[in-house]
Amino acid sequence: MRWLAVPVMALFLALMLYATTGLPLRGEPQAPANAHVSPYYIEKTIEETGTPNIVTSVLADYRGYDTLGETTVILAAGLACLLILRRGKGL
Amino acid sequence: MLEEFLGRYSYFMIAVLMTIGIYGMLAKRNLIKKLIGMNILQTAIFLFFIEGGGKLGATVPVIDPQLGNDPAKYINPLPHVLMLTGIVVGISLTAVALAFLINISRTFHSLDEDCILKEMSK
Amino acid sequence: MIERYENVIIDIVCSVMVPLIQLFALYVVVHGHYGPGGGFQGGVLFAVSIILLRLCLGKEASHKKFPPKLAAALAASGMLVYMLTGLAPMAAGGAFLDYGHLPIPGVSGAELRFLGITIVEWSIAFSVCGTMVLLFDVLAEGMR
């Protein structure tokens, strides 16, 4: 069955290459990804949070809930490794 | 035609990278190689997002007093934030997967799929 | 698994590099408001310096400098500070994680949110640093 992987992956690559033709050109300022909320972040970050680095202000303020979940995920991963490899042996 | 190619060649490379990653996950027998394939797939997705957030003629998303706060002058910060999240989640995923692999190699003394299946059916 | 590798070059290079990496980690966390950087990157850099100590000093000596229990405590306390920063505005009448309502006297508006971002970045840095050292310890201990 392993020989099946090569034609399946060739098909997948063809599908992906076909899908790229529907994407906007590289670096286009009017692309949909650059349209909705990101202009708001760029315009309001100094006024609302006083932080010049937009990535920091989005990460910690506008999307703080997201980052909270992310920190929980990494802490949970550490505890999961601890539980998998050192069960019953303590810290 | 040439403009089409120049505008999209990075997406072609990302598609190739993604295919390499999925091929690694599907076809390789060694579990560590499957994990490396998963990491390559993740990297392809990070590159795709970062590539989608770029704007020609724009600078890094740190507000410069000389440029003001015109959205056309800064690249899109949102993919960077999302990919920062993605990288951290990827690290956690890799760590948990490595812990499982260590446990598997302790139990079955092998990381090869066929060996493990043979060992399990015994 | 990790043992001390007796070599004068490695000792000297590590003794020079570790403080530099730690200083750079602090710079990256503090500078997160004004340039590339932030809690995750700084925390990982600090953890890397501890991992370098673990690799060059061996288990005994480096556990004295940075005990594994401290790593777990750091990870958990960073998470706790983040949660409390989220809950404090709720007690003061705002929404969850709305730094504009943090009960800190003397500052308001954008400055208060700036301060909230600083607290959160530092808690993320502690949490990530502790977790990375914990992961390294656990995985290195398991590989035998």
Side-chain angles (χ1 to χ4, degrees):
Chain A
M1 281 300 277
R2 282 191 196 269
W3 58 270
L4 206 60
V6 176
V8 165
M9 285 341 287
L11 207 67
F12 179 79
L13 181 62
L15 198 68
M16 281 287 141
L17 289 180
Y18 172 68
T20 55
T21 56
L23 288 168
L25 289 183
R26 180 168 165 266
E28 199 179 311
Q30 256 66 48
N34 298 335
H36 294 285
V37 284
S38 76
Y40 177 86
Y41 294 145
I42 294 171
E43 280 164 3
K44 298 288 171 109
T45 178
I46 290 283
E47 186 187 321
E48 285 186 356
T49 66
T51 310
N53 189 349
I54 307 165
V55 173
T56 301
S57 69
V58 176
L59 184 84
D61 193 322
Y62 293 112
R63 292 184 174 238
Y65 200 69
D66 197 0
T67 312
L68 179 68
E70 181 187 358
T71 320
T72 317
V73 164
I74 191 167
L75 186 65
L79 294 180
C81 282
L82 200 68
L83 287 176
I84 291 167
L85 288 175
R86 279 202 206 163
R87 223 157 117 183
K89 279 188 250 171
L91 192 63
Chain B
M1 190 64 204
L2 182 67
E3 198 181 329
E4 284 274 302
F5 177 75
L6 284 182
R8 298 219 167 87
Y9 73 98
S10 55
Y11 293 131
F12 298 157
M13 298 303 159
I14 289 164
V16 171
L17 208 55
M18 211 164 163
T19 313
I20 291 172
I22 296 184
Y23 176 80
M25 286 174 76
L26 278 182
K28 292 290 170 191
R29 284 152 197 252
N30 193 320
L31 293 178
I32 292 276
K33 287 182 182 168
K34 276 180 193 284
L35 185 59
I36 293 172
M38 194 184 75
N39 273 313
I40 293 173
L41 178 63
Q42 272 173 6
T43 311
I45 290 167
F46 298 156
L47 283 174
F48 175 70
F49 268 72
I50 297 290
E51 195 61 51
K55 293 176 193 166
L56 281 182
T59 182
V60 291
V62 178
I63 297 281
D64 188 343
Q66 287 167 351
L67 289 179
N69 55 3
D70 180 14
K73 296 220 172 92
Y74 300 99
I75 57 173
N76 191 351
L78 205 51
H80 295 80
V81 177
L82 297 180
M83 287 311 105
L84 196 57
T85 313
I87 288 169
V88 173
V89 172
I91 287 174
S92 336
L93 203 58
T94 310
V96 175
L98 280 175
F100 276 125
L101 289 187
I102 289 172
N103 232 352
I104 287 172
S105 79
R106 267 187 198 161
T107 317
F108 297 106
H109 304 290
S110 165
L111 280 175
D112 191 274
E113 260 185 357
D114 297 338
C115 287
I116 292 170
L117 285 177
K118 214 185 282 171
E119 200 65 30
M120 278 170 81
S121 59
K122 245 187 231 172
Chain C
M1 179 211 171
I2 304 168
E3 275 157 21
R4 183 171 184 149
Y5 187 77
E6 293 281 350
N7 188 323
V8 70
I9 298 175
I10 287 178
D11 281 0
I12 288 178
V13 168
C14 284
S15 65
V16 173
M17 285 305 285
V18 166
L20 281 181
I21 296 174
Q22 289 178 349
L23 197 64
F24 186 62
L26 292 183
Y27 166 74
V28 166
V29 180
V30 172
H31 202 248
H33 285 280
Y34 302 103
F40 290 104
Q41 296 90 326
V44 169
L45 271 172
F46 200 86
V48 161
S49 77
I50 306 292
I51 290 171
L52 185 60
L53 269 186
R54 291 266 200 276
L55 289 176
C56 72
L57 283 184
K59 206 171 153 187
E60 307 278 307
S62 74
H63 278 196
K64 242 178 255 165
K65 290 204 189 297
F66 196 92
K69 282 187 181 173
L70 179 63
L74 219 58
S77 61
M79 195 66 222
L80 185 69
V81 171
Y82 199 157
M83 280 286 187
L84 290 179
T85 319
L87 288 176
M90 277 181 94
F96 187 62
L97 281 170
D98 180 7
Y99 309 135
H101 286 91
L102 273 178
I104 301 173
V107 282
S108 65
E111 271 184 53
L112 193 54
R113 285 175 80 163
F114 184 91
L115 216 59
I117 292 177
T118 313
I119 298 171
V120 163
E121 289 279 348
W122 276 102
S123 63
I124 292 171
F126 280 125
S127 182
V128 169
C129 169
T131 314
M132 286 293 153
V133 176
L134 186 69
L135 283 178
F136 177 80
D137 279 346
V138 171
L139 290 178
E141 188 88 3
M143 299 258 297
R144 233 187 310 220

